Amino acid sequence: MDIKEWKDKLLYSQKNGWDRLPQEEEAPLEAYCTAYKAYLDAGKTERCCVKESIRQAEALGFRAYQRGEALKPGDKVYRNNRDKMLLLAVIGTAGMERGARITAAHIDSPRLDLKPNPLYEEAELGYLKTHYYGGIRKYQWVTIPLELRGVVALRDGQVVEVAIGEGEEPKLVINDLLPHLGAEQSKKTLAEGIGGEQLNILIGSRPMEGDDSERVKTQLLRLLYEKYGFTEEDFISAELEAVPAVNAVDIGLDRSMIGAYGHDDRVCAYAALKALFDMEKTPEKTAVCVLADKEEIGSDGVTGMQTAAFDTFMDDLCEALGTPLKTCLERSFCLSADVTAAYDPNFGDVYEKRNSARLGYGVGLCKYTGSRGKGGASDASAEVVAFARRVFDEAGALWQMAELGKVDAGGGGTVAKYMANRNIDTLDAGVPVLSMHAPFETVSKLDCYMTYKAMKAIYER
Ligand code: MN
Ligand code: MN
């Protein structure tokens, strides 16, 4: 062999995905990203995501599955877990006997939840108190337009959907100090500059007629009652989430990226969902797509990835198809589809260049996550990684190998370990993100599309 041949054979080098993108995939990539942006705009909370996903699934023939119903290959079913988690499956020709091909993503994103007693008036301004959800950098959430989404459950059991700030509606905002008076604040660290109890949302300033006290607050309660029919006490049984009032847009003169709120992890959720929808024929192994809630706060609770609702759904499918659940799980494969950090040259010192995901290099595979010496990682086995490499290469899904950052810089984890703990071979894979957990995150269109191709390959091959 000459030197070039030796080099090509022996050296591992990742290459920019745009150089490797076949001409005929340009149009499908753009079409995919357009549909993804619409999904983001419709799905700014986990409840909105579940609703939009079910709408799309039902249009393609998926039906809500009830325990005990007979199943046959090709059946498309879903289960809505409390409007916040969604499980979907396409029954394979081999039923559950040979295991399932699972993708698990999450549809909750960092945001500001309203406290149970949120509304107050001070200095004739109306405010809502919040308790942030997930790992946010608090200073990023001030002076940006916000909208309020969620539900208020009334005492009589009726559930009212709330969407304040949607479309042309007025927005809400959290204010910050002007630089002229910010000298003391500026001496604080980024983490302390804006405190959790300062994340109070400005919601009104015009008093109601009369000479009572708290006239701004009363006016706001009147407006809420007129529009939604709930009173101050009803905030107690509500889930209202303040999210950035910004829709997804293209970023860059070359339109190579997408900026939006909630890429983490709807960018993988949409890839997992769309790939399930787009399978060309009935797969051999049953394809399962899990869109989970509560990942950002530890995957606990009835709608988080640790919930028995997943096992129950799988067991229901297994029973209908005559396979013991444990047999199915031990033969299954799961792609834990969550975003990873993209290398950011502006903050190069927290990344390890040789093992960081790069924007535009394809779906990022993480053998392990965790922090302080892989702590809390499920650490996929070598065989599992080799399997994924092969499947993705055969399907033309461009991929890259990644770690979250420098060994001692910090770390993170996702739902992978909760799947692996169930005796399912699991590998982390997802889209590299810039400014992860910020109100406005950036991803590469190429990586979005390649993640979709990767999910599809896992279901089909
Ligand atoms: Mn995530
Ligand atoms: Mn996250």
Side-chain angles (χ1 to χ4, degrees):
M1 272 196 273
D2 67 18
I3 288 175
K4 173 139 191 351
E5 270 181 74
W6 274 106
K7 274 191 137 177
D8 285 350
K9 195 175 170 63
L10 295 178
L11 287 183
Y12 161 63
S13 66
Q14 296 187 326
K15 295 186 190 76
N16 197 303
W18 292 105
D19 294 330
R20 294 184 283 158
L21 182 70
Q23 180 70 39
E24 65 273 17
E25 299 220 50
E26 295 267 359
L29 180 152
E30 202 53 44
Y32 173 82
C33 289
T34 301
Y36 168 52
K37 284 182 281 182
Y39 181 80
L40 276 177
D41 294 347
K44 287 185 178 169
T45 67
E46 59 281 9
R47 284 180 189 261
C48 297
C49 272
V50 165
K51 204 173 180 183
E52 173 63 15
S53 304
I54 290 177
R55 188 189 69 77
Q56 293 193 16
E58 286 186 341
L60 293 167
F62 282 76
R63 67 172 209 273
Y65 182 69
Q66 309 297 334
R67 184 167 308 135
E69 279 178 10
L71 287 171
K72 58 177 190 316
D75 278 357
K76 300 169 177 179
V77 294
Y78 73 83
R79 180 165 292 162
N80 172 0
N81 179 14
R82 298 168 171 88
D83 294 333
K84 294 195 277 190
M85 178 192 201
L86 186 63
L87 304 127
L88 306 100
V90 175
I91 307 303
T93 53
M96 302 299 266
E97 190 60 33
R98 303 205 45 214
R101 289 291 171 84
I102 305 165
T103 61
H106 69 92
I107 49 176
D108 61 318
S109 295
R111 60 180 189 250
L112 307 174
D113 286 345
L114 292 200
K115 291 193 183 194
N117 186 18
L119 184 63
Y120 71 98
E121 172 176 345
E122 196 160 337
E124 290 174 284
L125 296 172
Y127 288 101
L128 294 168
K129 296 237 30 119
T130 66
H131 192 139
Y132 58 92
Y133 172 98
I136 63 162
R137 310 192 78 189
K138 297 187 276 286
Y139 70 88
Q140 295 175 336
W141 291 74
V142 297
T143 64
I144 57 166
L146 298 170
E147 56 183 79
L148 200 63
R149 296 290 187 106
V151 296
V152 179
L154 306 181
R155 215 191 329 242
D156 65 6
Q158 194 196 335
V159 176
V160 183
E161 268 188 54
V162 174
I164 295 171
E166 201 180 14
E168 295 303 303
E169 279 202 355
K171 316 297 176 204
L172 310 177
V173 73
I174 297 170
N175 296 101
D176 196 3
L177 199 51
L178 64 169
H180 317 64
L181 298 176
E184 283 307 309
Q185 186 198 34
S186 297
K187 289 178 193 161
K188 294 182 181 173
T189 63
L190 276 181
E192 294 162 346
I194 298 287
E197 295 298 348
Q198 284 176 315
L199 293 174
N200 302 318
I201 302 172
L202 182 64
I203 183 178
S205 68
R206 182 168 174 168
M208 194 140 141
E209 280 171 33
D211 45 19
D212 298 332
S213 60
E214 300 208 301
R215 291 187 299 139
V216 171
K217 179 176 168 179
T218 315
Q219 175 86 298
L220 291 166
L221 284 168
R222 182 180 71 82
L223 291 170
L224 288 172
Y225 188 75
E226 279 176 3
K227 184 157 186 204
Y228 297 107
F230 70 85
T231 64
E232 189 176 17
E233 190 183 321
D234 296 318
F235 274 121
I236 286 168
S237 48
E239 280 178 3
L240 295 169
E241 309 174 3
V243 296
V246 206
N247 282 348
V249 292
D250 284 351
I251 296 282
L253 289 181
D254 53 10
R255 294 185 173 269
S256 60
M257 298 166 282
I258 302 172
Y261 162 66
H263 282 311
D264 177 9
D265 183 34
R266 292 162 195 148
V267 69
C268 297
Y270 184 69
L273 188 68
K274 187 77 167 77
L276 190 77
F277 292 164
D278 288 357
M279 279 190 295
E280 276 127 49
K281 53 182 186 4
T282 301
E284 183 202 351
K285 296 177 180 182
T286 294
V288 176
C289 170
V290 187
L291 306 181
D293 179 28
K294 296 287 178 276
E295 193 277 342
E296 297 295 357
I297 57 169
S299 297
D300 290 299
V302 282
T303 53
M305 200 60 248
Q306 299 189 69
T307 179
F310 169 75
D311 312 80
T312 303
F313 179 65
M314 294 297 285
D315 196 32
D316 287 349
L317 301 185
C318 281
E319 251 190 70
L321 291 155
T323 302
L325 177 65
K326 57 191 176 192
T327 306
C328 170
L329 293 185
E330 70 191 8
R331 294 172 182 173
S332 291
F333 175 84
C334 174
L335 214 55
S336 163
D338 202 352
V339 298
T340 186
Y343 178 76
D344 186 339
N346 257 336
F347 305 98
D349 51 344
V350 296
Y351 297 90
E352 195 267 281
K353 262 189 185 170
R354 289 177 181 80
N355 286 282
S356 283
R358 286 172 172 265
L359 222 60
Y361 276 58
V363 58
L365 313 185
C366 296
K367 183 177 183 299
Y368 48 83
T369 56
S371 52
R372 295 170 304 278
K374 300 191 181 181
S378 52
D379 204 353
S381 64
E383 293 86 342
V384 168
V385 181
F387 165 75
R389 275 170 68 191
R390 186 175 71 244
V391 169
F392 297 158
D393 282 344
E394 284 171 6
L398 303 180
W399 58 273
Q400 55 183 323
M401 205 63 203
E403 264 195 11
L404 191 68
K406 272 187 181 165
V407 172
D408 290 328
T414 176
V415 301
K417 61 177 171 185
Y418 305 119
M419 304 308 276
N421 290 349
R422 290 172 160 119
N423 199 19
I424 302 170
D425 275 324
T426 303
L427 179 64
D428 259 309
V431 175
V433 178
L434 289 170
S435 316
M436 194 198 292
H437 283 203
F440 192 74
E441 306 171 313
T442 303
V443 297
S444 160
K445 286 184 179 175
L446 182 123
D447 302 333
C448 296
Y449 179 67
M450 290 304 162
T451 301
Y452 155 77
K453 286 191 70 167
M455 303 288 159
K456 198 156 172 280
I458 289 300
Y459 293 140
E460 288 178 331
R461 284 169 191 255

